[in-house]
Amino acid sequence: MMLQPDILAYNEAIMPPPGVVSAAATSGMANNANGVHHYQHHQYQSGSGSSSAVALASTSAINTKSIQQNVIIANAGLSYEDVLNDDFQFDMDGHDVMVFLHIQKTGGTSFGRHLVRDLDLKRPCECQRQRKRCYCFRPHRNENWLFSRYSTGWKCGLHADWTELTSCVDIELDKNEGETAKRRYFYITLLREPISRYMSEYRHVRRGATWKGSRHWCLGRQATAAELPPCYKGKDWLDVDLDEFAACESNLAANRQTRMLADLALVGCYNKTAMPTHERDRVMLASAKRNLAAMAYFGLTEFQKMSQYIFEETFNLRFAIPFEQHNTTISASAVNNLRPDQKKRIEELNSLDIELYAFAKNLLFQRYGSSKFERLKAKDNDFEKRFANLGNIYYKQGVTEFNWDSNIDDALSTDH
């Protein structure tokens, strides 16, 4: 699927822990395109706990490579390569669904709002005052085309990650719409420079944010308290200092972007004893790179204009506002004020995210300068003019400009 040299070759072994492989094998799903996530999908639906997974883990007769391939492609939606086909169209009147994987402190809250408020649609989302929810229905029937915080709510858990979403979205939409449908899924996400993102999360937690509602669901169960021990006592971590924040080994702020984009079933979920740390890191990073590259779309906070144009051309949708670039944020200033030892420690804690972000940046620029993207631009007869005037839809002028950076550090909510 992916030809990037720094992603593992598609058939190269990514070794999940034996229990994970055995669970899929014993379920009799080893050789189809659903693999472990079909098993996980079943566990989510039935609500069965970890005991069945442990029982299933006793058998290990399986073609490991087959499972590894199946795990990776399970329920992951259409890829960027798919949407670049000349005949592709995001079919809002059919069964296409855009799934927004919202990673904390990447600008996702603002981006999510503008997905529901400022896209130029035949049937605009209906947003009610005093509510954090909008109805984003298809032009001719009341079914969701967008799965996100502001359209469907946190149906798969607060800030659900790739592992949670791919095992849950289909089930939740079936329940919500009262029928089973064969849908095409298009996963989208945003990434941010890791050190600035980490500092932004630190400041957010220091003001009282907790994200206690996150489920951390994987292979049919939530992470246990032993796997994710709390970093603090009491209701929050108010006024925590940076050294204490960085010292907690179970703090999910470290390498958050890699963890949330990886298939955690490959590394034993949140059980860090399932494999050596260096092997866990290697597998998780390779999985995150592969999943990111296979997504229909991703954007980078630091390259908003490019990100906006790629989104609009990918889905043939237009924003009524420009994505403004602000190079100086509160968190960026905070990074400059770090002691050398603090900066070194934070870089070590986020080493996987730093490598993932470098990969994402390289990939975005490859796409932007690739022959396939040139095809995108070639389809647009007014490319130069439109690129210079992104967001300027004449009849929607007056819509508040989208400022991706300036507000994301200041709004406090436990579910951001």
Side-chain angles (χ1 to χ4, degrees):
M1 289 172 64
M2 296 301 116
L3 303 180
Q4 314 305 326
D6 51 347
I7 309 181
L8 291 175
Y10 189 67
N11 289 322
E12 183 179 340
I14 295 181
M15 300 296 292
V20 174
V21 175
S22 301
T26 313
S27 298
M29 298 169 184
N31 296 311
N32 63 35
N34 293 315
V36 167
H37 273 293
H38 194 131
Y39 166 78
Q40 184 175 350
H41 175 109
H42 169 75
Q43 291 292 336
Y44 177 92
Q45 198 166 26
S46 65
S48 55
S50 59
S51 57
S52 57
V54 172
L56 289 170
S58 60
T59 308
S60 59
I62 184 173
N63 183 327
T64 301
K65 187 174 290 188
S66 173
I67 271 294
Q68 291 155 0
Q69 293 175 353
N70 292 335
V71 168
I72 288 160
I73 63 174
N75 300 329
L78 271 72
S79 72
Y80 178 76
E81 304 296 319
D82 295 325
V83 302
L84 280 186
N85 290 333
D86 290 334
D87 59 350
F88 169 77
Q89 184 174 358
F90 182 73
D91 188 2
M92 202 169 286
D93 237 347
H95 291 93
D96 288 359
V97 179
M98 196 181 299
V99 182
F100 180 29
L101 194 164
H102 180 177
I103 300 172
Q104 289 96 317
K105 313 314 294 178
T106 57
T109 296
S110 295
F111 182 69
R113 286 173 181 157
H114 289 283
L115 281 175
V116 300
R117 291 179 182 173
D118 293 314
L119 278 173
D120 180 32
L121 303 171
K122 291 180 181 178
R123 183 181 179 182
C125 298
E126 300 172 18
C127 301
Q128 300 178 353
R129 291 184 179 275
Q130 308 302 321
R131 291 197 63 188
K132 294 183 179 180
R133 196 72 52 84
C134 301
Y135 298 108
C136 294
F137 291 143
R138 305 187 188 280
H140 299 105
R141 64 186 190 276
N142 293 342
E143 293 179 2
N144 293 288
W145 62 266
L146 175 64
F147 193 96
S148 72
R149 170 192 179 182
Y150 289 117
S151 57
T152 55
W154 300 115
K155 292 288 187 181
C156 293
L158 180 60
H159 285 285
D161 57 26
W162 191 94
T163 306
E164 293 172 304
L165 287 172
T166 54
S167 67
C168 161
V169 170
D170 212 37
I171 299 169
E172 288 299 329
L173 286 178
D174 284 349
K175 289 196 299 187
N176 191 57
E177 294 166 6
E179 63 177 1
T180 300
K182 188 175 181 180
R183 306 178 185 90
R184 294 197 305 178
Y185 291 107
F186 300 80
Y187 280 78
I188 66 174
T189 196
L190 306 176
L191 295 180
R192 185 179 181 186
E193 190 284 314
I195 307 306
S196 293
R197 196 216 65 80
Y198 183 88
M199 290 301 296
S200 180
E201 179 164 340
Y202 160 66
R203 294 180 63 256
H204 202 53
V205 169
R206 193 173 188 272
R207 296 195 302 268
T210 63
W211 298 297
K212 283 182 178 178
S214 296
R215 300 185 314 153
H216 306 119
W217 187 271
C218 179
L219 286 178
R221 66 175 181 87
Q222 288 182 255
T224 65
E227 291 169 334
L228 285 179
C231 289
Y232 55 89
K233 296 179 180 179
K235 65 178 183 177
D236 55 41
W237 214 359
L238 197 66
D239 296 328
V240 60
D241 66 49
L242 182 58
D243 293 330
E244 182 184 355
F245 185 80
C248 179
E249 293 186 3
S250 57
N251 188 347
L252 293 178
N255 289 320
R256 180 179 288 281
Q257 295 176 105
T258 301
R259 177 183 58 81
M260 291 187 68
L261 288 171
D263 183 352
L264 297 181
L266 293 171
V267 295
C269 301
Y270 292 89
N271 177 12
K272 293 184 178 180
T273 64
M275 62 175 65
T277 300
H278 71 279
E279 183 68 6
R280 178 184 176 86
D281 288 349
R282 183 190 75 84
V283 172
M284 196 157 60
L285 179 60
S287 177
K289 286 180 178 180
R290 195 183 326 231
N291 290 338
L292 181 72
M295 281 187 170
Y297 165 82
F298 70 88
L300 301 180
T301 306
E302 290 73 23
F303 300 94
Q304 296 170 23
K305 196 166 188 177
M306 186 188 304
S307 298
Q308 178 174 2
Y309 184 80
I310 293 176
F311 177 93
E312 293 187 358
E313 287 304 303
T314 298
F315 294 106
N316 195 27
L317 296 171
R318 301 289 182 263
F319 283 100
I321 40 80
F323 289 14
E324 285 206 327
Q325 185 71 53
H326 290 260
N327 292 322
T328 301
T329 66
I330 298 172
S331 291
S333 299
V335 171
N336 293 331
N337 293 326
L338 291 173
R339 301 191 313 265
D341 64 306
Q342 289 178 320
K343 187 173 182 181
K344 182 181 178 182
R345 173 62 175 157
I346 292 170
E347 287 173 347
E348 291 171 349
L349 288 171
N350 292 279
S351 60
L352 301 184
D353 273 10
I354 289 171
E355 185 172 341
L356 176 66
Y357 184 81
F359 167 80
K361 182 178 175 181
N362 182 52
L363 183 59
L364 191 74
F365 275 83
Q366 281 182 20
R367 289 177 175 178
Y368 189 66
S370 69
S371 58
K372 291 183 177 180
F373 189 78
E374 290 300 323
R375 290 211 318 264
L376 269 183
K377 292 192 284 188
K379 292 180 186 178
D380 189 347
N381 295 327
D382 299 313
F383 168 74
E384 297 295 341
K385 182 178 179 181
R386 198 170 78 75
F387 191 78
N389 293 280
L390 287 172
N392 293 331
I393 297 178
Y394 68 93
Y395 51 84
K396 283 197 174 182
Q397 294 305 296
V399 176
T400 303
E401 284 189 333
F402 181 7
N403 181 332
W404 206 341
D405 285 341
S406 65
N407 295 323
I408 60 176
D409 283 331
D410 298 323
L412 175 63
S413 171
T414 57
D415 64 351
H416 278 187

